[in-house]
Structures are given as structure tokens and as C-alpha cells.
Amino acid sequence: MGIFGLSFDDGRMDNYHVAYPILQRYGLPATFNITTSYIERKPTKWPFTSTRAMTMDMVRELHADPLMEIASHGYWHNNDVDNLLEGIRTLCEHLGVKRLHERGNGIALTGDTSFSFDADAAQAQLRAADVQYVRRSIRLLTHPTLRTLARKANRVVALSPLMRYAFSDTLMTEADGMTLYSIPVVGTMPARVLKTMADLAAERDAACILMLHSVVKDGEMRDLYSLEEKKLTALCEHLCRLRDSGKIEVATTMDIFRRLKIRNHEIP
């Protein structure tokens, strides 16, 4: 059986007002990765979005929903280890908990690939803070140049074969230490292309995580990373069909990490 996850970055208000009701309608879990200072409204302008942030009360509501997971996206939206740890600390403080999830803490990195997560010192710091997983962006194991070209072409022509080729290395059949990989979703991708990755995960008995940002009302796309409501709805309907036919499990990032660890026989 495949495993599929929806992972929403930053803590954008449209995630609460648009994406969350869709997830509730279909009974699907998801993970919301919160940039704490964004929620606190510390800066006056954000380099990564002009979208308003959720309120902390909205984050608390998501945290209280047993289907949803709250993870950290850092404090200042960068991949410095101290920033990542500060993001966890302040988010836990706001939520009144010792850790973000009953099994520990999750972190979603930004798209910046300069973070040296493989350094032993960085891993030791994160493990000491009860970090269970770190979600990164795409993984390229074979033909990196060709797959990168396919990924860029897919933003323009959006063909399912291109999508499968570009991101097939990102699917996971076992855990890679603390690291999980994800597929960045852009607004130009039609629903049929997003469904392709769910089908591929089911075919390969693999795990697939989509990295999403804004989900907006139809016709209100603001930037490259704004996905229209109708596309998320179509994807969720497809996930429900696959789930109900026993081909896929839809899970939070923490649960995907645990399932992969169980496959590795690393936890009972």
C-alpha cells in the first residue's frame, strides 16, 4: 500500500480558510508547518509571500484536531539550526505543550538547499530537541540534470509522464535517517498531474509527500505557489478513491515517517 501526505508550509491564512475545510470535508489528515515569527507578525513584509498569516488561535485549532499535525518551519523561515530550534521552542510555548506531537517534533525545511543537515553536529542538536524527522524538498538519485529539466518543463506543459519522471526519485520506500523528501507543488500543475503522484505511490507501495503553500479560491491565483481550490478538491477526491479501494493511506508527515521506520524494522 502506498502512503500519501499533504504538507502545507508557512502558516498562511488561506490554509485555514480554504484548505482546512476541504480536508475536513473528505476526512483527510495533513501537516501544517508553521513559521513562528510569521504567525507572531514580527516583520512588516515577508520575502516569501504577501499572504496574511494565520492567527495563533487558528494554529491552536489545527493542533487540537486529531487528524492534523503541527510541525515547525523555523522561526525566521531559514534553515539555520538555531533558527529551527527556536521555531520549535516558541511554537511549543504558544501551544502550551512540551513537544508538537505526541511522538516528538517535526521540521519542514525551506527550499534553500544550503543547509548542511548531514553534519553530525546539526543532527545531534536536533535529536536533543526531540526532532523525529526533517522534511526536505526533492531528491535526485539518478539523471539529475534530465530530471531537473523535466521538472522545469512540467511547469509549462504539465504532462503526467514528465511529472512521473521528474519526481520519481523523491518517492520513498524506506526511511533515510531523519530525512523525508517532498514534491513542491506549483499552481500551474493541473489536478490530473497531481493525481499522477498518488497513483505512482500506490503502484510502487511508496511514500509521497506534496509540499504545498497557498490554496486560493478559483481564479484568485497570486503567485507561482498558489493552488486553486478546485485542484485541491479534485486531488482529495482522488485520494479518497484510492484510500477506499485499499491502494493508499493518507497520513501526516509524522505518521509517514513512522510507517517508513517500521518498514526499516527500526521501531516495533
Side-chain angles (χ1 to χ4, degrees):
M1 179 186 292
I3 318 171
F4 201 85
L6 301 169
S7 181
F8 296 86
D9 280 6
D10 305 325
R12 304 181 185 209
M13 188 172 282
D14 54 54
N15 288 179
Y16 178 84
H17 284 303
V18 184
Y20 184 40
I22 296 172
L23 296 169
Q24 289 179 304
R25 186 186 317 154
Y26 293 101
L28 294 175
T31 299
F32 295 88
N33 309 298
I34 306 299
T35 304
T36 317
S37 65
Y38 178 46
I39 301 297
E40 293 176 344
R41 290 161 170 75
K42 286 286 179 69
T44 56
K45 184 177 181 181
W46 278 90
F48 61 87
T49 181
S50 59
T51 304
R52 292 178 61 199
M54 291 185 203
T55 66
M56 189 52 69
D57 283 343
M58 293 174 183
V59 177
R60 291 189 184 98
E61 183 179 341
L62 292 172
H63 184 257
D65 188 327
L67 275 180
M68 306 301 158
E69 177 194 0
I70 294 296
S72 177
H73 200 38
Y75 189 81
W76 286 112
H77 197 262
N78 66 63
N79 293 335
D80 174 78
V81 175
D82 290 338
N83 165 75
L84 296 172
L85 295 178
E86 180 68 2
I88 292 172
R89 187 192 68 77
T90 53
L91 194 51
C92 285
E93 189 175 272
H94 281 295
L95 294 173
V97 295
K98 292 184 178 179
R99 53 186 183 173
L100 298 174
H101 188 278
E102 62 181 1
R103 296 193 181 108
N105 299 309
I107 285 177
L109 299 184
T110 70
D112 179 9
T113 58
S114 62
F115 176 54
S116 180
F117 170 67
D118 295 328
D120 290 342
Q123 291 203 30
Q125 283 182 274
L126 296 179
R127 290 186 189 280
D130 203 9
V131 174
Q132 299 296 304
Y133 70 81
V134 175
R135 191 223 68 194
R136 306 193 73 151
S137 188
I138 62 172
R139 175 173 59 173
L140 297 172
L141 297 175
T142 58
H143 312 124
T145 302
L146 289 176
R147 292 187 194 278
T148 298
L149 289 173
R151 178 165 60 95
K152 292 179 179 179
N154 190 59
R155 291 184 175 186
V156 180
V157 295
L159 298 174
S160 294
L162 273 179
M163 185 79 172
R164 292 170 73 104
Y165 179 72
F167 296 110
S168 60
D169 280 356
T170 303
L171 270 62
M172 300 161 285
T173 55
E174 59 183 22
D176 182 8
M178 296 171 68
T179 305
L180 297 174
Y181 302 93
S182 60
I183 298 171
V185 172
V186 297
T188 54
M189 293 178 176
R192 72 174 187 280
V193 170
L194 298 177
K195 294 175 187 178
T196 291
M197 298 315 297
D199 293 337
L200 187 59
E203 291 168 19
R204 296 188 176 182
D205 293 330
C208 177
I209 299 173
L210 293 188
M211 178 203 304
L212 301 107
H213 293 82
S214 285
V215 179
V216 298
K217 296 291 185 181
D218 297 344
E220 296 183 4
M221 285 182 63
R222 293 186 291 266
D223 55 40
L224 181 64
Y225 292 98
S226 296
L227 187 73
E228 289 182 297
E229 179 181 21
K230 62 184 177 183
K231 294 181 181 180
L232 180 61
T233 298
L235 174 61
C236 288
E237 289 175 348
H238 188 63
L239 292 174
C240 286
R241 286 192 290 270
L242 291 175
R243 178 195 63 189
D244 295 345
S245 63
K247 294 179 179 179
I248 209 166
E249 174 187 3
V250 185
T252 64
T253 311
M254 183 67 80
D255 284 338
I256 288 174
F257 177 74
R258 183 172 177 81
R259 301 291 191 278
L260 292 174
K261 285 292 186 181
I262 290 172
R263 288 187 183 185
N264 280 13
H265 305 290
E266 293 182 28
I267 56 176

